[in-house]
Amino acid sequence: MTSSYSESDAANLSADNDRKNLGIIENARVAGRINAEAAAYLSELYSDSILWFREVFYFLGKCFGAPKAPVMRYDYATDSAIDEPIKLSDINPLTPYIVHHRLDADPMRNQFFTSGAGHKIDLAVSSIVTVIVGSQKNINRALDKVTGKYYQTYVNDVAETVYRVIASHDREASARAISDKIRAKLNEKYISTPSETALAIIGSGHENIAVELVRELDKIPRPRMRLQDVWRVKCLFDLIPQARTFIERVRDMMPDRILSVRDNFYDMKNPRNYRDAKLIIDIGKNGHVVPMEIICQVRTFFEFERQTHGNYEVSRRTETRRSVKDAAKNVELGAKEHEQGVKEYNLMICQCLEDLFDRVGWNILYSQGNGVSMFDGFPKPCKLYYPQKILDTISSKLDDAIENEVFRITDAPAELTQAQQNEIFHFMARFILVAAMPYVQRDWAVPSDTMAGKLFNFVMNEVQRYYKK
């Protein structure tokens, strides 16, 4: 049967795909692969897709304003734009696209540039944010996650919670036996009512812990609720402080819409050494929660993600086949490549530091007598930051190093006072802390043949020393 509408009609195309998705969800429910609650949740996420896509547009418009360049189609296979501008009317939930916006609140604007011949100035770091708007997640991939990876995590959470609660009141052997029974029961079929299942298994004799057990089990997210990337956006920033400015701007603009925030720019403990930040935003209406995932990443690191994407896909497929050894090998390989991404990014930060030194020194001289600095509030103070103890320790040790002339500017345009020296180096240390990624490789450092390199290594060594304790 031929279609009665043009394939370029985004609304009709989306509605047709909605019907197909809802049919697949219903078939999964009838087959017992998911239960009625999961089917209802998925049906809501996969209905009215053009409506939810408009909410994605609304969110981006609120945060960034109008695009600063033509909208282009995006190719997942190559992780790059297709040189083919598209009209707004052609955009639909089934096709990813890429667009460039400007971060108006950018704390780094116009701070980093290189001077060429004559009057030529090139921005080394820009306020432009590259936004990749993903297509709607494939329904079969979503079902695989809900019934596979997410369900197994949920089963483990339930079993461990049952063990913990019962072991706090009874013998560990009894707690382990009941926990194992519940794990086996949940693995028989898709069940998302852990309290009923647990109470049926423990039976009589545990009434005194039933209330506590139900309370703890009710806190565990159900498998369906862990699916939060049916709608997804990736934002690429040049520097971490820009990403954090964006996150805090979202917090200020729509605090009631934020479902969760995770910041892994400083995280050195995740197995893949993957560095990004993630926000989950509710784009639903009339009390219906529809999550949208926003990944914030720095542009340099994204280039290394492109290189490791194949390893991640191999890892994911081998995990599905339960080939743990192969999966672990590919995760380890990805982690090593991500380490290189961290190094590359930090080298860029060190170059930014080098560019700042002269201008900070000049600025302090220019501002004498008026108490106003062009660098006040740059970069902006941020809530997503290191513990205060790290900042206090580095500040104290930096004071000692400046006093002992480990750090001293000797080529300033005029002689600097001790207070001016302190102001320069403390400002620079603060910039390193908010902009650089900490790293675990204690045998790696940036070249220290410049003052910028020496200061960078000094600050990051203190960060490493703190986290090694």
Side-chain angles (χ1 to χ4, degrees):
M1 184 175 66
T2 59
S3 173
S4 60
Y5 58 85
S6 169
E7 287 191 356
S8 64
D9 187 332
N12 288 336
L13 184 66
S14 300
D16 186 52
N17 193 65
D18 287 346
R19 287 189 289 271
K20 292 177 182 177
N21 287 337
L22 293 176
I24 293 172
I25 293 168
E26 177 60 14
N27 290 339
R29 185 196 67 79
V30 172
R33 191 179 177 195
I34 55 175
N35 60 11
E37 291 84 359
Y41 180 73
L42 288 170
S43 296
E44 187 165 51
L45 296 187
Y46 283 91
S47 296
D48 300 319
S49 59
I50 198 71
L51 169 66
W52 303 132
F53 213 56
R54 285 171 180 158
E55 290 301 311
V56 174
F57 270 109
Y58 173 76
F59 171 82
L60 293 176
K62 286 278 287 183
C63 293
F64 295 119
K68 303 304 178 186
V71 179
M72 313 288 283
R73 296 191 189 278
Y74 188 75
D75 182 17
Y76 281 135
T78 60
D79 274 332
S80 59
I82 300 172
D83 190 13
E84 177 190 339
I86 55 178
K87 296 182 295 185
L88 187 65
S89 58
D90 292 332
I91 294 175
N92 64 76
L94 309 181
T95 306
Y97 71 88
I98 185 169
V99 62
H100 300 285
H101 290 276
R102 185 184 299 281
L103 182 64
D104 291 332
D106 179 14
M108 304 298 181
R109 178 179 288 186
N110 301 327
Q111 297 294 344
F112 304 108
F113 53 84
T114 56
S115 300
H119 299 286
K120 185 178 179 182
I121 299 294
D122 294 321
L123 287 177
V125 172
S126 76
S127 301
I128 296 298
V129 183
T130 300
V131 180
I132 302 168
V133 180
S135 58
Q136 181 189 60
K137 192 177 193 70
N138 180 277
I139 181 59
N140 291 310
R141 178 81 176 104
L143 283 168
D144 287 343
K145 279 195 168 186
V146 170
T147 59
K149 174 183 176 181
Y150 294 155
Y151 190 73
Q152 285 305 311
T153 301
Y154 158 78
V155 170
N156 291 335
D157 290 346
V158 170
E160 290 171 6
T161 298
V162 169
Y163 173 80
R164 173 173 52 80
V165 172
I166 295 179
S168 67
H169 294 270
D170 208 337
R171 292 178 305 164
E172 287 193 20
S174 175
R176 179 60 63 196
I178 293 173
S179 174
D180 289 344
K181 287 181 181 179
I182 290 174
R183 186 188 297 273
K185 186 68 175 177
L186 293 180
N187 279 325
E188 289 177 5
K189 64 177 183 178
Y190 187 99
I191 299 173
S192 60
T193 52
S195 298
E196 295 177 17
T197 305
L199 293 177
I201 289 176
I202 66 176
S204 60
H206 290 86
E207 291 83 354
N208 61 322
I209 64 170
V211 173
E212 180 184 352
L213 184 59
V214 169
R215 185 187 302 118
E216 293 301 310
L217 289 175
D218 285 347
K219 295 177 183 178
I220 299 174
R222 304 306 185 251
R224 65 182 184 274
M225 303 305 295
R226 299 171 193 244
L227 181 69
Q228 299 180 320
D229 61 347
V230 171
W231 306 106
R232 55 264 175 93
V233 168
K234 177 172 284 189
C235 299
L236 303 180
F237 303 84
D238 282 353
L239 299 174
I240 289 174
Q242 295 170 325
R244 290 190 163 136
T245 296
F246 166 72
I247 293 170
E248 294 191 350
R249 188 177 186 184
V250 174
R251 278 176 160 172
D252 293 339
M253 290 171 57
M254 48 189 82
D256 56 329
R257 289 277 184 171
I258 295 179
L259 299 176
S260 66
V261 178
R262 182 208 70 194
D263 182 357
N264 278 352
F265 285 123
Y266 288 175
D267 184 11
M268 296 184 287
K269 297 180 180 179
N270 66 80
R272 293 176 63 219
N273 200 23
Y274 197 84
R275 308 297 184 90
D276 63 9
K278 179 190 290 187
L279 293 86
I280 306 297
I281 301 293
D282 178 17
I283 59 172
K285 290 177 172 291
N286 302 320
H288 298 284
V289 176
V290 176
M292 178 179 75
E293 178 186 77
I294 306 166
I295 298 294
C296 299
Q297 202 170 39
V298 292
R299 212 177 301 274
T300 303
F301 202 80
F302 176 72
E303 294 302 318
F304 284 89
E305 180 194 30
R306 291 173 62 184
Q307 296 176 24
T308 60
H309 183 71
N311 293 323
Y312 168 71
E313 288 299 312
V314 170
S315 171
R316 180 174 61 78
R317 289 195 297 271
T318 52
E319 277 184 17
T320 303
R321 295 197 301 266
R322 299 185 183 279
S323 178
V324 178
K325 184 176 180 180
D326 289 344
K329 183 187 298 183
N330 283 286
V331 168
E332 182 180 356
L333 178 60
K336 289 184 179 299
E337 291 176 334
H338 283 151
E339 286 176 4
Q340 186 61 37
V342 172
K343 293 177 182 178
E344 194 75 15
Y345 174 79
N346 280 341
L347 286 171
M348 182 188 70
I349 295 301
C350 195
Q351 182 57 54
C352 290
L353 193 67
E354 188 75 39
D355 295 340
L356 277 174
F357 255 109
D358 287 341
R359 284 184 284 141
V360 171
W362 276 101
N363 177 59
I364 288 175
L365 294 178
Y366 289 150
S367 64
Q368 285 184 1
N370 58 29
V372 177
S373 169
M374 292 187 296
F375 292 94
D376 281 350
F378 163 74
K380 293 181 178 179
C382 182
K383 301 182 187 70
L384 304 169
Y385 209 41
Y386 288 108
Q388 187 62 42
K389 187 174 181 180
I390 291 184
L391 309 183
D392 293 342
T393 299
I394 291 176
S395 178
S396 175
K397 291 190 175 182
L398 185 57
D399 284 340
D400 292 341
I402 296 169
E403 184 177 347
N404 293 324
E405 299 191 359
V406 174
F407 296 115
R408 184 168 184 81
I409 294 177
T410 58
D411 57 350
E415 186 175 355
L416 300 177
T417 66
Q418 184 73 24
Q420 290 170 332
Q421 294 268 357
N422 282 359
E423 188 175 353
I424 291 174
F425 285 109
H426 279 274
F427 169 84
M428 293 299 195
R430 185 162 63 89
F431 171 73
I432 295 169
L433 286 167
V434 300
M437 290 186 191
Y439 48 89
V440 295
Q441 307 92 335
R442 297 190 64 83
D443 59 341
W444 182 82
V446 302
S448 57
D449 54 342
T450 65
M451 187 64 69
K454 286 173 61 178
L455 183 63
F456 185 94
N457 291 332
F458 172 85
V459 171
M460 298 311 287
N461 283 339
E462 290 302 320
V463 171
Q464 284 188 331
R465 185 174 290 113
Y466 177 88
Y467 281 111
K468 189 182 179 183
K469 292 179 181 178

